[in-house]
Amino acid sequence: MTTISPNARSLAALGHDARLSIFRLLVKAGDDGLRVSDIGEHLGLAPSTLAHHLSTLVDAGLVLQDKQGREVFNRVDFPAVNRLVGFLTSECCAGVTTCSSEDAA
């Protein structure tokens, strides 16, 4: 069985055009989030397709879902996204030591 890190899972979830569009729309919506039907309207996705992609984003820890009555609201988990960005940039400009071609021979 293959183990995948949370960071790799999050990045893989964003590696699909539909999920990336959903995620970006939810970022625009902010902390209030959007109902599933609102996301479908904005992006023109069929309900079953949308449900599949939202499930992947939730499983990846990027989107939170809150049920309010009969409606399900989706919003970005901004602290989780900030951790992912921190992971990606944690060693920014730290420098990389490379071996010269003479050292490798």
Side-chain angles (χ1 to χ4, degrees):
M1 180 198 257
T2 304
T3 303
I4 184 168
S5 73
N7 292 319
R9 184 182 311 277
S10 294
L11 292 169
L14 293 173
H16 187 282
D17 285 333
R19 288 191 292 270
L20 189 57
S21 295
I22 293 165
F23 181 78
R24 293 189 69 200
L25 179 65
L26 290 173
V27 167
K28 289 179 190 177
D31 288 328
D32 291 338
L34 291 171
R35 295 176 301 176
V36 174
S37 59
D38 295 333
I39 298 168
E41 268 185 41
H42 279 300
L43 300 177
L45 295 172
S48 61
T49 301
L50 180 56
H52 165 73
H53 290 308
L54 280 170
S55 175
T56 301
L57 291 168
V58 169
D59 289 345
L62 296 170
V63 170
L64 300 171
Q65 292 184 319
D66 299 309
K67 189 165 184 162
Q68 298 176 14
R70 292 173 36 169
E71 296 289 335
V72 176
F73 282 81
N74 299 269
R75 60 184 171 83
V76 170
D77 185 344
F78 287 105
V81 172
N82 287 334
R83 285 190 297 274
L84 180 61
V85 170
F87 165 76
L88 291 172
T89 60
S90 65
E91 297 186 34
C92 177
C93 308
V96 175
T97 304
T98 59
C99 297
S100 68
S101 58
E102 293 173 5
D103 292 341

